[in-house]
Amino acid sequence: MTSLPRPAIELSADEARRIALRAQGFLGAPDRRSGVRGVLRHLGAVQLDTISVLARSHELIPYARLGAVGRDTVEAAYWTETHAFEYWSHAACILPVEEWPHFAFRRRAYRSRPHWHHDLPDGAYDQVIKQLRAEGPLTATELGGAKNKGEWWDWSESKIAVERALMYGEVVCTERRSWKRVYDLAERAIPDALLHDDLSDPECLRRLVRLAGEALGVGTRADIADYHRLKGEQFDAVVADSGLVPVTVQGWDKPAWADPKALETTPRGRHRTTLLSPFDSLIWERARTERIFGFTHRLEAYVPKPKRIHGYFAMPLLAGGRLLGRVDPAREGATLVAKQVTLDTPKAVEPMAQALMEAASWVGCDSVRVERVNRPELTTALVRALT
């Protein structure tokens, strides 16, 4: 790793926190005119996940920033008029279609090395491409079946082939239908001006590092590289040419870089009060969340139930630019159930009530029921605030 230039800009921890909040769309007036598509372009990646409690994570992301935007509106914004595609970024993510050229480095990497441990019979790959060309967008089931009759990971030949074509960039996921990927030929789904792999690997990486820095506002090497799952050495190779500015942040024990535009004005405006998906890009990197907010966050969906501390899908509460607690929600008919509420301070009671009521209204519930609160002495106050 080459020596780093001494940063001339020093930020307080509070300044860095506010810069990060503004960059992620939680400080200042929401950009309602640009709507969901504006959120996607601004963030550069919206993570997908199979878990659906109040809603799926990719629906919760714009909700957290814009408020009660209709869920059908969210889906239409992502998947109509060729505005987005799904690919591997931080994880499986919805990406703005303008990002297609930037992932040429990853498509080339997939093409240049053996893929998975699945055997693919001769002709299976070409058959999938031929079928898509003839019939238009199809799910794996429509292509011949997603699975064989074995265990859940026992993919069919057509599923292996189309997923390989997706990784290579010959096929693109154009939408999710009943949570199934819908595949189409990239030559048909991606606008001609973007359908190319012309950018070199260093140029792809340089652009992704710059975009990640802009989306985060300020971050360490690990923060920025993790945004699109780049390697540390890939970050090192391009950061000097990325346009990001070296900074130091009080209390951060590692070098940091900031978006120069984020340093031009002091972050001001109204803070959003909302519940966050555990897969929200504001908090998806655990070490960064602890560093910025002093908040330890862990998804416990895959933790055995007896060992869970905060619940299956605990959603952090953001209020006043701080993370003040979390709630594990569920739905029972028209009731939003707060199965387990964690309040870090009595000051979190009113914001938690507000966030719960807004979330309930958004998903079509007309009441909220609280089951457990980590601080029982605050239960009455929370219930009162909800009524």
Side-chain angles (χ1 to χ4, degrees):
M1 183 173 175
T2 58
S3 61
L4 301 171
R6 181 176 178 79
I9 299 172
E10 295 186 6
L11 301 172
S12 69
D14 188 64
E15 287 171 330
R17 178 182 58 83
R18 292 172 67 85
I19 286 172
L21 286 165
R22 183 175 64 180
Q24 282 282 301
F26 290 106
L27 177 59
D31 184 4
R32 299 192 188 283
R33 179 174 296 181
S34 298
V36 176
R37 289 174 180 170
V39 169
L40 176 61
R41 289 194 300 271
H42 188 75
L43 297 179
V46 169
Q47 186 172 341
L48 291 155
D49 193 80
T50 58
I51 298 173
S52 180
V53 179
L54 293 182
R56 292 199 187 274
S57 185
H58 66 283
E59 299 172 290
L60 292 167
I61 304 307
Y63 163 74
R65 290 156 177 82
L66 301 175
V69 58
R71 295 173 68 182
D72 290 342
T73 300
V74 172
E75 294 293 339
Y78 287 141
W79 300 126
T80 60
E81 302 174 3
T82 321
H83 281 274
F85 69 104
E86 179 185 336
Y87 200 60
W88 295 100
S89 166
H90 182 82
C93 289
I94 303 171
L95 303 166
V97 72
E98 294 84 4
E99 303 279 332
W100 177 269
H102 303 160
F103 286 85
F105 84 101
R106 190 157 284 165
R107 293 190 290 270
R108 283 191 288 263
Y110 286 136
R111 294 178 202 137
S112 67
R113 64 174 183 260
H115 187 56
W116 300 316
H117 300 288
H118 296 89
D119 293 326
L120 193 60
D122 291 343
Y125 186 98
D126 292 339
Q127 175 57 36
V128 160
I129 301 301
K130 181 180 178 181
Q131 190 173 349
L132 288 172
R133 179 164 284 117
E135 300 179 30
L138 299 169
T139 65
T141 300
E142 293 165 338
L143 281 165
K147 299 177 183 177
N148 290 322
K149 295 180 180 179
E151 302 292 340
W152 66 267
W153 61 83
D154 189 17
W155 284 359
S156 68
E157 294 174 4
S158 58
K159 174 66 172 176
I160 296 169
V162 76
E163 284 290 323
R164 191 169 297 185
L166 178 74
M167 305 295 248
Y168 293 174
E170 193 167 359
V171 159
V172 63
C173 176
T174 58
E175 66 172 304
R176 290 270 185 152
R177 188 187 303 154
S178 300
W179 201 242
K180 295 179 180 179
R181 281 177 174 158
V182 179
Y183 305 92
D184 197 6
L185 298 180
E187 65 192 45
R188 201 157 49 201
I190 302 298
D192 290 344
L194 301 171
L195 185 63
H196 62 79
D197 283 357
D198 296 346
L199 300 182
S200 66
D201 283 14
E203 181 61 14
C204 291
L205 297 170
R206 185 192 70 79
R207 294 191 188 193
L208 288 175
V209 164
R210 174 60 186 253
L211 290 170
E214 292 174 353
L216 292 171
V218 60
T220 64
R221 173 185 190 246
D223 295 343
I224 297 170
D226 182 69
Y227 203 82
H228 291 295
R229 288 285 199 259
L230 305 180
K231 298 177 181 178
E233 53 267 31
Q234 292 175 318
F235 172 90
D236 296 339
V238 300
V239 64
D241 298 320
S242 69
L244 300 180
V245 178
V247 297
T248 58
V249 180
Q250 292 176 7
W252 293 20
D253 60 0
K254 294 180 180 178
W257 287 261
D259 171 18
K261 291 183 179 179
L263 301 175
E264 292 175 358
T265 58
T266 301
R268 292 190 177 93
R270 186 179 66 182
H271 285 285
R272 178 92 172 106
T273 297
T274 191
L275 299 177
L276 298 173
S277 162
F279 303 106
D280 195 297
S281 50
L282 179 70
I283 57 170
W284 64 19
E285 214 284 311
R286 195 181 307 172
R288 174 180 172 85
T289 301
E290 292 186 13
R291 188 186 332 117
I292 293 179
F293 296 104
F295 188 88
T296 301
H297 167 67
R298 181 187 184 191
L299 177 68
E300 297 181 338
Y302 307 109
V303 174
K305 189 173 182 179
K307 295 185 178 181
R308 291 176 190 157
I309 298 172
H310 300 293
Y312 175 78
F313 194 75
M315 299 179 66
L317 168 68
L318 177 69
R322 309 281 181 177
L323 297 177
L324 300 180
R326 64 200 99 198
V327 60
D328 184 31
R331 292 176 64 183
E332 292 181 5
T335 300
L336 188 157
V337 182
K339 297 184 348 185
Q340 184 168 331
V341 178
T342 303
L343 300 171
D344 294 345
T345 168
K347 293 180 180 179
V349 169
E350 292 290 338
M352 178 63 80
Q354 177 187 337
L356 284 169
M357 288 188 291
E358 286 188 358
S361 176
W362 179 56
V363 297
C365 293
D366 56 21
S367 63
V368 178
R369 186 177 80 244
V370 176
E371 290 191 343
R372 294 186 304 279
V373 179
N374 69 314
R375 300 170 70 163
E377 70 275 14
L378 299 178
T379 303
T380 301
L382 178 59
V383 172
R384 185 183 302 121
L386 286 165
T387 57

